[in-house]
């Protein structure tokens, strides 16, 4: 379920919610910092199916008119993931840049939706910076994490371990 549909259905059960009314910002400018509590980090780690998240912080700058706001910044955290090679948990820093455009107008009018760079919608004149922080943390996670210093080395049994070794022998006239 997307963050917008959660809000429309009255569900604020998302682990990290920080709604900001952008219409109250001075001339569409401002700064927002989101710091997740240990309980929010634990809930996000469970959602992301990773062992842990610590020190999750999102720093955002907001600029532009309320009809087309640009949010830039960074999301940083220390995450614990499981190595895909050794299956051992390890900690790694995540730092993900953020650049998102929000609008309160219909940007799809008269355009082909596949070709348009569609801004995110403002929901009731507000942005959920908690969900934005979680979204960009998820984007920054390595889908195939490897513990530093580990490399995958395939197991080789004998000289003809490759799937085409028999064909190579035929080509070389050894068979």
């Amino acid at each position: 379920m997307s963050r917008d549909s959660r809000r429309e259905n009255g569900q604020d059960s998302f682990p990290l919610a920080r709604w900001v009314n952008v219409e109250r910002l001075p001339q569409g400018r401002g700064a927002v910092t989101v710091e997740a509590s240990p309980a929010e980090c634990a809930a996000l780690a469970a959602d992301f199916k990773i062992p842990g998240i610590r020190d999750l912080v999102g720093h955002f700058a907001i600029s532009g008119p309320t009809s087309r706001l640009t949010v830039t910044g960074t999301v940083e955290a220390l995450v614990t993931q499981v190595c895909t090679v050794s299956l051992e948990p390890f900690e790694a820093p995540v730092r993900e840049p953020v650049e998102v455009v929000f609008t309160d107008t219909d940007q799809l009018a008269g355009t082909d939706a596949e070709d348009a760079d569609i801004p995110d919608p403002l929901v009731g004149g507000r942005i959920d910076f908690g969900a934005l922080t979680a979204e960009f943390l998820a984007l920054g996670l390595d889908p195939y994490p490897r513990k530093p210093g580990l490399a995958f080395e395939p197991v080789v049994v004998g000289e003809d371990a490759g799937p085409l070794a028999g064909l190579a022998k035929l080509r070389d006239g050894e068979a």
Side-chain angles (χ1 to χ4, degrees), residues 14 44 47-48 50 53 56 75-77 79 81 94 96 130-143:
F14 190 70
L44 281 173
D47 275 2
F48 295 163
I50 62 174
I53 298 172
L56 174 58
V75 171
E76 299 178 76
V79 298
Q81 290 186 280
V94 173
E96 189 68 17
L132 192 64
T133 300
E135 180 180 332
F136 277 86
L137 174 63
L139 288 172
L141 292 176
D142 186 349

PDB file of all heavy atoms in Angstrom, residues 14 44 47-48 50 53 56 75-77 79 81 94 96 130-143:
ATOM      1  N   PHE A  14       1.976   3.799   9.327  1.00  0.00           N
ATOM      2  CA  PHE A  14       3.316   3.672   8.772  1.00  0.00           C
ATOM      3  C   PHE A  14       4.316   3.925   9.893  1.00  0.00           C
ATOM      4  O   PHE A  14       4.121   4.845  10.695  1.00  0.00           O
ATOM      5  CB  PHE A  14       3.495   4.657   7.609  1.00  0.00           C
ATOM      6  CG  PHE A  14       4.749   4.427   6.819  1.00  0.00           C
ATOM      7  CD1 PHE A  14       4.880   3.308   6.025  1.00  0.00           C
ATOM      8  CD2 PHE A  14       5.798   5.323   6.888  1.00  0.00           C
ATOM      9  CE1 PHE A  14       6.032   3.088   5.303  1.00  0.00           C
ATOM     10  CE2 PHE A  14       6.957   5.108   6.172  1.00  0.00           C
ATOM     11  CZ  PHE A  14       7.072   3.990   5.381  1.00  0.00           C
ATOM     12  N   LEU A  44      10.850  -0.072  11.054  1.00  0.00           N
ATOM     13  CA  LEU A  44      11.275  -0.005   9.648  1.00  0.00           C
ATOM     14  C   LEU A  44      12.148  -1.201   9.278  1.00  0.00           C
ATOM     15  O   LEU A  44      12.014  -1.756   8.181  1.00  0.00           O
ATOM     16  CB  LEU A  44      12.043   1.291   9.378  1.00  0.00           C
ATOM     17  CG  LEU A  44      11.200   2.543   9.189  1.00  0.00           C
ATOM     18  CD1 LEU A  44      12.090   3.772   9.096  1.00  0.00           C
ATOM     19  CD2 LEU A  44      10.333   2.426   7.956  1.00  0.00           C
ATOM     20  N   ASP A  47       9.908  -3.980   8.591  1.00  0.00           N
ATOM     21  CA  ASP A  47       9.258  -3.789   7.287  1.00  0.00           C
ATOM     22  C   ASP A  47      10.203  -4.122   6.133  1.00  0.00           C
ATOM     23  O   ASP A  47       9.789  -4.687   5.132  1.00  0.00           O
ATOM     24  CB  ASP A  47       8.777  -2.348   7.129  1.00  0.00           C
ATOM     25  CG  ASP A  47       7.413  -2.093   7.732  1.00  0.00           C
ATOM     26  OD1 ASP A  47       6.832  -3.039   8.322  1.00  0.00           O
ATOM     27  OD2 ASP A  47       6.926  -0.963   7.626  1.00  0.00           O
ATOM     28  N   PHE A  48      11.473  -3.709   6.267  1.00  0.00           N
ATOM     29  CA  PHE A  48      12.461  -3.922   5.198  1.00  0.00           C
ATOM     30  C   PHE A  48      13.075  -5.310   5.247  1.00  0.00           C
ATOM     31  O   PHE A  48      13.884  -5.664   4.404  1.00  0.00           O
ATOM     32  CB  PHE A  48      13.573  -2.877   5.271  1.00  0.00           C
ATOM     33  CG  PHE A  48      13.128  -1.465   5.014  1.00  0.00           C
ATOM     34  CD1 PHE A  48      13.930  -0.406   5.386  1.00  0.00           C
ATOM     35  CD2 PHE A  48      11.924  -1.170   4.400  1.00  0.00           C
ATOM     36  CE1 PHE A  48      13.552   0.913   5.155  1.00  0.00           C
ATOM     37  CE2 PHE A  48      11.519   0.131   4.164  1.00  0.00           C
ATOM     38  CZ  PHE A  48      12.339   1.174   4.541  1.00  0.00           C
ATOM     39  N   ILE A  50      15.321  -6.539   7.345  1.00  0.00           N
ATOM     40  CA  ILE A  50      16.757  -6.525   7.629  1.00  0.00           C
ATOM     41  C   ILE A  50      16.922  -6.557   9.148  1.00  0.00           C
ATOM     42  O   ILE A  50      16.009  -6.193   9.884  1.00  0.00           O
ATOM     43  CB  ILE A  50      17.478  -5.304   7.011  1.00  0.00           C
ATOM     44  CG1 ILE A  50      16.943  -3.987   7.574  1.00  0.00           C
ATOM     45  CG2 ILE A  50      17.375  -5.334   5.492  1.00  0.00           C
ATOM     46  CD1 ILE A  50      17.716  -2.757   7.105  1.00  0.00           C
ATOM     47  N   ILE A  53      18.367  -1.109  11.972  1.00  0.00           N
ATOM     48  CA  ILE A  53      18.613   0.247  11.469  1.00  0.00           C
ATOM     49  C   ILE A  53      18.917   1.104  12.700  1.00  0.00           C
ATOM     50  O   ILE A  53      18.203   1.022  13.697  1.00  0.00           O
ATOM     51  CB  ILE A  53      17.391   0.822  10.736  1.00  0.00           C
ATOM     52  CG1 ILE A  53      17.032  -0.024   9.515  1.00  0.00           C
ATOM     53  CG2 ILE A  53      17.631   2.279  10.339  1.00  0.00           C
ATOM     54  CD1 ILE A  53      15.723   0.380   8.842  1.00  0.00           C
ATOM     55  N   LEU A  56      18.920   6.806  12.020  1.00  0.00           N
ATOM     56  CA  LEU A  56      18.258   7.234  10.782  1.00  0.00           C
ATOM     57  C   LEU A  56      17.889   8.710  10.873  1.00  0.00           C
ATOM     58  O   LEU A  56      17.156   9.112  11.776  1.00  0.00           O
ATOM     59  CB  LEU A  56      17.008   6.398  10.524  1.00  0.00           C
ATOM     60  CG  LEU A  56      16.123   6.806   9.347  1.00  0.00           C
ATOM     61  CD1 LEU A  56      16.914   6.799   8.031  1.00  0.00           C
ATOM     62  CD2 LEU A  56      14.926   5.880   9.240  1.00  0.00           C
ATOM     63  N   VAL A  75      19.430  11.314   3.141  1.00  0.00           N
ATOM     64  CA  VAL A  75      18.969  10.382   4.165  1.00  0.00           C
ATOM     65  C   VAL A  75      20.176   9.539   4.545  1.00  0.00           C
ATOM     66  O   VAL A  75      20.862   9.003   3.664  1.00  0.00           O
ATOM     67  CB  VAL A  75      17.817   9.495   3.644  1.00  0.00           C
ATOM     68  CG1 VAL A  75      17.490   8.387   4.630  1.00  0.00           C
ATOM     69  CG2 VAL A  75      16.589  10.330   3.353  1.00  0.00           C
ATOM     70  N   GLU A  76      20.448   9.461   5.851  1.00  0.00           N
ATOM     71  CA  GLU A  76      21.602   8.712   6.335  1.00  0.00           C
ATOM     72  C   GLU A  76      21.179   7.775   7.456  1.00  0.00           C
ATOM     73  O   GLU A  76      20.294   8.105   8.244  1.00  0.00           O
ATOM     74  CB  GLU A  76      22.666   9.666   6.872  1.00  0.00           C
ATOM     75  CG  GLU A  76      23.194  10.631   5.834  1.00  0.00           C
ATOM     76  CD  GLU A  76      24.216  11.587   6.413  1.00  0.00           C
ATOM     77  OE1 GLU A  76      25.351  11.147   6.634  1.00  0.00           O
ATOM     78  OE2 GLU A  76      23.846  12.743   6.639  1.00  0.00           O
ATOM     79  N   ALA A  77      21.838   6.624   7.515  1.00  0.00           N
ATOM     80  CA  ALA A  77      21.575   5.655   8.581  1.00  0.00           C
ATOM     81  C   ALA A  77      22.717   4.655   8.637  1.00  0.00           C
ATOM     82  O   ALA A  77      23.528   4.553   7.708  1.00  0.00           O
ATOM     83  CB  ALA A  77      20.259   4.923   8.341  1.00  0.00           C
ATOM     84  N   VAL A  79      22.885   0.688   8.883  1.00  0.00           N
ATOM     85  CA  VAL A  79      21.998  -0.472   8.765  1.00  0.00           C
ATOM     86  C   VAL A  79      22.769  -1.760   8.985  1.00  0.00           C
ATOM     87  O   VAL A  79      23.964  -1.840   8.700  1.00  0.00           O
ATOM     88  CB  VAL A  79      21.290  -0.522   7.383  1.00  0.00           C
ATOM     89  CG1 VAL A  79      20.418   0.696   7.179  1.00  0.00           C
ATOM     90  CG2 VAL A  79      22.271  -0.674   6.261  1.00  0.00           C
ATOM     91  N   GLN A  81      22.748  -5.538   7.703  1.00  0.00           N
ATOM     92  CA  GLN A  81      22.215  -6.412   6.662  1.00  0.00           C
ATOM     93  C   GLN A  81      22.910  -7.763   6.749  1.00  0.00           C
ATOM     94  O   GLN A  81      23.929  -7.901   7.431  1.00  0.00           O
ATOM     95  CB  GLN A  81      22.429  -5.801   5.271  1.00  0.00           C
ATOM     96  CG  GLN A  81      21.566  -4.575   5.019  1.00  0.00           C
ATOM     97  CD  GLN A  81      21.698  -4.089   3.590  1.00  0.00           C
ATOM     98  OE1 GLN A  81      22.664  -3.415   3.261  1.00  0.00           O
ATOM     99  NE2 GLN A  81      20.735  -4.435   2.758  1.00  0.00           N
ATOM    100  N   VAL A  94      24.541   3.994   5.127  1.00  0.00           N
ATOM    101  CA  VAL A  94      23.753   4.308   3.937  1.00  0.00           C
ATOM    102  C   VAL A  94      23.639   5.823   3.875  1.00  0.00           C
ATOM    103  O   VAL A  94      23.329   6.473   4.871  1.00  0.00           O
ATOM    104  CB  VAL A  94      22.345   3.679   3.996  1.00  0.00           C
ATOM    105  CG1 VAL A  94      21.479   4.158   2.841  1.00  0.00           C
ATOM    106  CG2 VAL A  94      22.431   2.169   4.011  1.00  0.00           C
ATOM    107  N   GLU A  96      21.899   8.423   1.080  1.00  0.00           N
ATOM    108  CA  GLU A  96      21.160   8.507  -0.179  1.00  0.00           C
ATOM    109  C   GLU A  96      20.739   9.954  -0.431  1.00  0.00           C
ATOM    110  O   GLU A  96      20.092  10.577   0.404  1.00  0.00           O
ATOM    111  CB  GLU A  96      19.926   7.606  -0.104  1.00  0.00           C
ATOM    112  CG  GLU A  96      19.191   7.437  -1.396  1.00  0.00           C
ATOM    113  CD  GLU A  96      19.960   6.650  -2.452  1.00  0.00           C
ATOM    114  OE1 GLU A  96      20.931   5.949  -2.131  1.00  0.00           O
ATOM    115  OE2 GLU A  96      19.561   6.751  -3.629  1.00  0.00           O
ATOM    116  N   GLY A 130       8.482  11.710   6.937  1.00  0.00           N
ATOM    117  CA  GLY A 130       8.856  10.421   7.498  1.00  0.00           C
ATOM    118  C   GLY A 130       8.832   9.337   6.434  1.00  0.00           C
ATOM    119  O   GLY A 130       9.772   8.550   6.303  1.00  0.00           O
ATOM    120  N   ALA A 131       7.755   9.303   5.670  1.00  0.00           N
ATOM    121  CA  ALA A 131       7.655   8.323   4.582  1.00  0.00           C
ATOM    122  C   ALA A 131       8.713   8.590   3.514  1.00  0.00           C
ATOM    123  O   ALA A 131       9.281   7.647   2.942  1.00  0.00           O
ATOM    124  CB  ALA A 131       6.262   8.362   3.961  1.00  0.00           C
ATOM    125  N   LEU A 132       9.015   9.865   3.255  1.00  0.00           N
ATOM    126  CA  LEU A 132      10.059  10.211   2.288  1.00  0.00           C
ATOM    127  C   LEU A 132      11.421   9.712   2.770  1.00  0.00           C
ATOM    128  O   LEU A 132      12.210   9.167   1.996  1.00  0.00           O
ATOM    129  CB  LEU A 132      10.074  11.728   2.079  1.00  0.00           C
ATOM    130  CG  LEU A 132      10.889  12.265   0.925  1.00  0.00           C
ATOM    131  CD1 LEU A 132      10.330  11.783  -0.407  1.00  0.00           C
ATOM    132  CD2 LEU A 132      10.917  13.784   0.962  1.00  0.00           C
ATOM    133  N   THR A 133      11.681   9.854   4.068  1.00  0.00           N
ATOM    134  CA  THR A 133      12.923   9.363   4.654  1.00  0.00           C
ATOM    135  C   THR A 133      13.024   7.850   4.502  1.00  0.00           C
ATOM    136  O   THR A 133      14.054   7.322   4.068  1.00  0.00           O
ATOM    137  CB  THR A 133      13.001   9.758   6.148  1.00  0.00           C
ATOM    138  OG1 THR A 133      12.950  11.177   6.246  1.00  0.00           O
ATOM    139  CG2 THR A 133      14.267   9.244   6.792  1.00  0.00           C
ATOM    140  N   ALA A 134      11.954   7.148   4.832  1.00  0.00           N
ATOM    141  CA  ALA A 134      11.943   5.683   4.725  1.00  0.00           C
ATOM    142  C   ALA A 134      12.099   5.235   3.275  1.00  0.00           C
ATOM    143  O   ALA A 134      12.822   4.276   2.981  1.00  0.00           O
ATOM    144  CB  ALA A 134      10.651   5.129   5.311  1.00  0.00           C
ATOM    145  N   GLU A 135      11.442   5.929   2.359  1.00  0.00           N
ATOM    146  CA  GLU A 135      11.506   5.577   0.938  1.00  0.00           C
ATOM    147  C   GLU A 135      12.937   5.681   0.408  1.00  0.00           C
ATOM    148  O   GLU A 135      13.427   4.785  -0.275  1.00  0.00           O
ATOM    149  CB  GLU A 135      10.582   6.504   0.158  1.00  0.00           C
ATOM    150  CG  GLU A 135      10.543   6.263  -1.326  1.00  0.00           C
ATOM    151  CD  GLU A 135       9.592   7.226  -2.032  1.00  0.00           C
ATOM    152  OE1 GLU A 135       8.615   7.692  -1.425  1.00  0.00           O
ATOM    153  OE2 GLU A 135       9.854   7.504  -3.216  1.00  0.00           O
ATOM    154  N   PHE A 136      13.626   6.765   0.747  1.00  0.00           N
ATOM    155  CA  PHE A 136      14.982   6.931   0.230  1.00  0.00           C
ATOM    156  C   PHE A 136      15.989   6.060   0.977  1.00  0.00           C
ATOM    157  O   PHE A 136      17.003   5.672   0.406  1.00  0.00           O
ATOM    158  CB  PHE A 136      15.384   8.408   0.206  1.00  0.00           C
ATOM    159  CG  PHE A 136      14.863   9.087  -1.028  1.00  0.00           C
ATOM    160  CD1 PHE A 136      13.593   9.625  -1.059  1.00  0.00           C
ATOM    161  CD2 PHE A 136      15.619   9.129  -2.190  1.00  0.00           C
ATOM    162  CE1 PHE A 136      13.089  10.211  -2.212  1.00  0.00           C
ATOM    163  CE2 PHE A 136      15.132   9.704  -3.349  1.00  0.00           C
ATOM    164  CZ  PHE A 136      13.861  10.257  -3.364  1.00  0.00           C
ATOM    165  N   LEU A 137      15.703   5.704   2.221  1.00  0.00           N
ATOM    166  CA  LEU A 137      16.540   4.713   2.899  1.00  0.00           C
ATOM    167  C   LEU A 137      16.430   3.379   2.167  1.00  0.00           C
ATOM    168  O   LEU A 137      17.432   2.716   1.902  1.00  0.00           O
ATOM    169  CB  LEU A 137      16.125   4.548   4.357  1.00  0.00           C
ATOM    170  CG  LEU A 137      16.849   3.423   5.105  1.00  0.00           C
ATOM    171  CD1 LEU A 137      18.343   3.687   5.196  1.00  0.00           C
ATOM    172  CD2 LEU A 137      16.248   3.219   6.470  1.00  0.00           C
ATOM    173  N   ALA A 138      15.212   2.993   1.819  1.00  0.00           N
ATOM    174  CA  ALA A 138      15.002   1.735   1.085  1.00  0.00           C
ATOM    175  C   ALA A 138      15.738   1.756  -0.253  1.00  0.00           C
ATOM    176  O   ALA A 138      16.319   0.747  -0.664  1.00  0.00           O
ATOM    177  CB  ALA A 138      13.514   1.485   0.879  1.00  0.00           C
ATOM    178  N   LEU A 139      15.719   2.908  -0.932  1.00  0.00           N
ATOM    179  CA  LEU A 139      16.435   3.012  -2.204  1.00  0.00           C
ATOM    180  C   LEU A 139      17.942   2.884  -2.019  1.00  0.00           C
ATOM    181  O   LEU A 139      18.656   2.408  -2.910  1.00  0.00           O
ATOM    182  CB  LEU A 139      16.119   4.344  -2.885  1.00  0.00           C
ATOM    183  CG  LEU A 139      14.719   4.481  -3.460  1.00  0.00           C
ATOM    184  CD1 LEU A 139      14.473   5.909  -3.928  1.00  0.00           C
ATOM    185  CD2 LEU A 139      14.504   3.498  -4.598  1.00  0.00           C
ATOM    186  N   GLY A 140      18.454   3.300  -0.862  1.00  0.00           N
ATOM    187  CA  GLY A 140      19.879   3.251  -0.598  1.00  0.00           C
ATOM    188  C   GLY A 140      20.388   1.896  -0.143  1.00  0.00           C
ATOM    189  O   GLY A 140      21.598   1.666  -0.100  1.00  0.00           O
ATOM    190  N   LEU A 141      19.488   0.978   0.212  1.00  0.00           N
ATOM    191  CA  LEU A 141      19.906  -0.347   0.666  1.00  0.00           C
ATOM    192  C   LEU A 141      20.445  -1.171  -0.498  1.00  0.00           C
ATOM    193  O   LEU A 141      19.875  -1.185  -1.582  1.00  0.00           O
ATOM    194  CB  LEU A 141      18.740  -1.095   1.308  1.00  0.00           C
ATOM    195  CG  LEU A 141      18.225  -0.552   2.635  1.00  0.00           C
ATOM    196  CD1 LEU A 141      16.997  -1.351   3.081  1.00  0.00           C
ATOM    197  CD2 LEU A 141      19.301  -0.575   3.695  1.00  0.00           C
ATOM    198  N   ASP A 142      21.538  -1.858  -0.251  1.00  0.00           N
ATOM    199  CA  ASP A 142      22.118  -2.745  -1.256  1.00  0.00           C
ATOM    200  C   ASP A 142      21.250  -3.997  -1.342  1.00  0.00           C
ATOM    201  O   ASP A 142      21.066  -4.694  -0.340  1.00  0.00           O
ATOM    202  CB  ASP A 142      23.549  -3.115  -0.851  1.00  0.00           C
ATOM    203  CG  ASP A 142      24.281  -3.926  -1.904  1.00  0.00           C
ATOM    204  OD1 ASP A 142      23.647  -4.407  -2.870  1.00  0.00           O
ATOM    205  OD2 ASP A 142      25.511  -4.077  -1.762  1.00  0.00           O
ATOM    206  N   PRO A 143      20.706  -4.328  -2.516  1.00  0.00           N
ATOM    207  CA  PRO A 143      19.846  -5.510  -2.618  1.00  0.00           C
ATOM    208  C   PRO A 143      20.620  -6.825  -2.470  1.00  0.00           C
ATOM    209  O   PRO A 143      20.039  -7.850  -2.137  1.00  0.00           O
ATOM    210  CB  PRO A 143      19.209  -5.391  -3.997  1.00  0.00           C
ATOM    211  CG  PRO A 143      20.124  -4.506  -4.767  1.00  0.00           C
ATOM    212  CD  PRO A 143      20.786  -3.603  -3.775  1.00  0.00           C
TER     213      PRO A 143
END
